[in-house]
Amino acid sequence: MKRFSIAVIPGDGIGKEVVPAALNVLDTAASAHGGIAFDYTEFPWSCEYYLEHGEMMPEDGLEQLKKFDAILLGAVGNPQLVPDHVSLWGLLINIRRGFQQSINIRPAKYFEGLRSPLADPKQFDFIVVRENSEGEYSEVGGRIHQGSSQIAIQNSIFTRPGVENALRYGFELAKGRKGHVTSATKSNGIVHTMPFWDEVFADVKADYPEIEAESTHIDALAAFFVTKPEAFDVVVASNLFGDILTDIGGAVMGSIGIAPAANINLSGEFPSMFEPVHGSAPDIVGKHIANPIGQIWTAKMMLDHLGETELGAGILAAVEEVTKNGVKTPDIGGSATTEEVTAAICEQLKK
């Protein structure tokens, strides 16, 4: 039997409710398959952990995680306990940067039975590849002076390897999809980094003559995600642009609560990490209404990364069948609890 070792970090808020749901679905799918099993090790790193220990994760946290095949993360953040910039950089960003998870991928698709806010969603199915390690979210910058003369500088850092890796990942992904890549740019307004991005895009594009590719300004692209999402296949974007576009992707699906994400280490030297796009949602903790689909779809992406694409496809098909049957949490128009949605997906996998 093939076994996978998974580091599990439920984190904060509803992460502690939806992560167990995803593990239940994973184990049910593995049992139905018969040749796969998962070994889970849970880590209590969270804002509550920070209050007790003064850090979001221990100093040797990355060393503890290195041995696992993958990391399944729930949610990070509780601003009532710990400032967001402390919790995010102390755990999520720490793992992303420490394990060189330079690619972030987030799919969006029309789900049967899930009402999109779009009048005519036209069965859209696209995926955003986001450069995940540099760009506009660089740590380079600082502040000088005080009071009315204070100055803040945030530097965007774009490297040839970082940009090229993201673009090549997108082109390779498009080979197994609809064969179309869109590059997000803003070279008419950002005069250094975006023309550089466009130049690298042109170089990479030349290596993939079989792939249809185009460059689109980010403001127009954001509008097109709403007006014609069905026109897109693989979209490659910088750190900030990708972050914004993927939230739009979640919105046009009907809820950011169902959107998944993967943070990929390209070399395989370190484990990749999988997390839903939604936050910790402290306002609904303990109400049993947290939508588990985002975390479950995230687990599906983890299976894809581990080479178990058939098992992953089965999970996503089960999720869509359940939404089509009307078993949904309140955020997407239903009345089911977290546990009821999870149970329905598990029953579907057993059929």
Side-chain angles (χ1 to χ4, degrees):
M1 179 176 288
K2 190 184 299 184
R3 305 192 73 90
F4 294 105
S5 61
I6 309 298
V8 179
I9 309 175
D12 296 299
I14 62 169
K16 296 176 182 178
E17 301 174 18
V18 296
V19 166
L23 299 185
N24 190 358
V25 170
L26 279 172
D27 287 338
T28 301
S31 178
H33 181 280
I36 296 172
F38 301 99
D39 298 317
Y40 306 118
T41 301
E42 186 170 316
F43 295 88
W45 305 335
S46 62
C47 288
E48 291 176 356
Y49 182 92
Y50 180 91
L51 293 182
E52 185 175 349
H53 299 277
E55 53 191 0
M56 289 297 294
M57 62 189 295
E59 190 174 337
D60 68 341
L62 294 179
E63 192 64 32
Q64 292 184 48
L65 295 174
K66 274 175 63 175
K67 64 182 179 180
F68 292 93
D69 294 316
I71 303 164
L72 188 66
L73 176 68
V76 179
N78 186 340
Q80 293 182 341
L81 300 179
V82 179
D84 278 341
H85 70 279
V86 173
S87 60
L88 190 68
W89 284 84
L91 184 57
L92 176 65
I93 304 298
N94 193 11
I95 296 172
R96 281 182 180 174
R97 299 287 170 92
F99 284 163
Q100 299 171 25
Q101 295 168 349
S102 60
I103 301 293
N104 180 278
I105 52 177
R106 299 183 182 181
K109 70 185 292 291
Y110 173 75
F111 265 83
E112 197 171 350
L114 200 160
R115 186 176 180 180
S116 168
L118 302 179
D120 185 9
K122 294 182 181 176
Q123 305 286 328
F124 64 85
D125 183 353
F126 61 83
I127 189 164
V128 177
V129 177
R130 167 188 170 193
E131 196 291 314
N132 203 36
S133 61
E134 49 185 50
E136 303 90 346
Y137 290 175
S138 160
E139 298 173 66
V140 178
R143 299 188 187 190
I144 59 172
H145 307 315
Q146 299 295 323
S148 60
S149 61
Q150 191 172 27
I151 299 171
I153 297 174
Q154 179 77 45
N155 291 330
S156 296
I157 306 295
F158 286 74
T159 66
R160 175 84 192 203
V163 174
E164 185 169 342
N165 284 341
L167 289 165
R168 288 197 182 279
Y169 193 96
F171 274 92
E172 290 293 328
L173 199 59
K175 285 182 179 180
R177 291 175 54 90
K178 293 179 282 187
H180 185 272
V181 171
T182 303
S183 170
T185 186
K186 191 57 183 170
S187 51
N188 62 345
I190 302 175
V191 299
H192 296 300
T193 56
M194 284 294 105
F196 173 71
W197 176 283
D198 291 350
E199 290 165 15
V200 180
F201 174 64
D203 290 345
V204 174
K205 176 183 174 181
D207 293 336
Y208 296 86
E210 75 281 14
I211 301 295
E212 184 183 354
E214 62 185 0
S215 183
T216 304
H217 288 138
I218 182 63
D219 44 347
L221 189 52
F224 293 154
F225 265 29
V226 176
T227 59
K228 55 175 185 177
E230 75 283 356
F232 299 100
D233 179 22
V234 176
V235 179
V236 188
S238 66
N239 215 332
L240 174 62
F241 291 175
D243 198 5
I244 294 168
L245 289 173
T246 51
D247 276 7
I248 298 174
V252 298
M253 281 195 291
S255 171
I256 202 169
I258 70 169
N263 301 282
I264 304 298
N265 170 258
L266 292 174
S267 68
E269 180 182 359
F270 303 110
S272 295
M273 178 169 62
F274 303 83
E275 48 158 340
V277 175
H278 65 67
S280 59
D283 56 317
I284 62 169
V285 170
K287 296 182 179 180
H288 301 278
I289 58 172
N291 192 334
I293 290 177
Q295 191 77 57
I296 293 167
W297 194 354
T298 294
K300 179 267 183 193
M301 294 184 73
M302 181 179 74
L303 290 175
D304 291 343
H305 179 72
L306 294 172
E308 300 300 328
T309 55
E310 184 179 346
L311 196 66
I315 288 177
L316 193 59
V319 170
E320 189 159 15
E321 188 65 27
V322 166
T323 62
K324 186 172 69 174
N325 292 338
V327 184
K328 300 178 288 188
T329 46
D331 62 303
I332 53 175
S335 58
T337 64
T338 308
E339 294 78 10
E340 287 169 342
V341 172
T342 305
I345 294 170
C346 288
E347 284 303 311
Q348 193 65 37
L349 286 167
K350 294 174 185 177
K351 292 182 179 179

